[in-house]
């Protein structure tokens, strides 16, 4: 159940971040073209939102802690954002990114230690 939860959350976050990254790089910033783009990809947003929701639900069932599940989701979101930034925009993470991820991991350790 833990692996399924993490897979669902990661998949949903990958879809959402990829949609925004694609929009940033390839879609014209005029209102109508942006609106048309988001109308076309609405099913992706719906499925991604459900994946994240079920991922959090399954992780909460597994660990019996909603706060921890939501923090894991946010941590995964940061990792996915770094990966999508590199894939779409060729942004190389700096030492500050490593420090930020370390702070998040330390927060997981503190929260789970309670």
């Amino acid at each position: 159940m833990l692996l399924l939860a993490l897979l669902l959350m990661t998949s949903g976050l990958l879809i959402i971040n990829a949609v925004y990254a694609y929009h940033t790089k390839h879609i014209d910033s005029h209102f109508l073209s942006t609106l048309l783009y988001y109308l076309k990809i609405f099913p992706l947003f719906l499925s991604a939102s459900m994946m994240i929701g079920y991922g959090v639900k399954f992780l909460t069932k597994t660990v019996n802690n909603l706060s921890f599940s939501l923090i894991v989701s946010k941590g995964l979101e940061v990792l996915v954002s770094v990966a999508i930034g590199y894939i779409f925009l060729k942004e190389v993470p700096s030492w500050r990114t490593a420090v930020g991820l370390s702070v998040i991991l330390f927060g997981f350790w503190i929260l789970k230690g309670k």
Side-chain angles (χ1 to χ4, degrees), residues 63-78:
V63 298
N64 291 323
N65 190 337
L66 178 60
S67 297
F68 180 76
S69 300
L70 293 173
I71 291 171
V72 167
S73 176
K74 290 301 174 191
L76 282 173
E77 184 173 2
V78 171

Side-chain angles (χ1 to χ4, degrees), residues 2-43:
L2 175 66
L3 185 60
L4 177 62
L6 294 175
L7 183 65
L8 283 170
M9 281 192 284
T10 304
S11 299
L13 291 166
L14 275 169
I15 291 170
I16 288 175
N17 283 293
V19 163
Y20 285 131
Y22 184 85
H23 173 225
T24 300
K25 189 157 182 145
H26 299 290
I27 303 300
D28 190 21
S29 61
H30 295 300
F31 179 77
L32 288 178
S33 57
T34 301
L35 178 64
L36 183 60
Y37 171 71
Y38 281 106
L39 287 174
K40 286 178 183 176
I41 55 119
F42 178 74

Side-chain angles (χ1 to χ4, degrees), residues 47-69:
S47 61
S49 180
M50 290 184 69
M51 286 180 199
I52 294 167
Y54 275 108
V56 169
K57 180 180 181 113
F58 293 157
L59 187 60
T60 302
K61 261 187 191 179
T62 303
V63 298
N64 291 323
N65 190 337
L66 178 60
S67 297
F68 180 76
S69 300

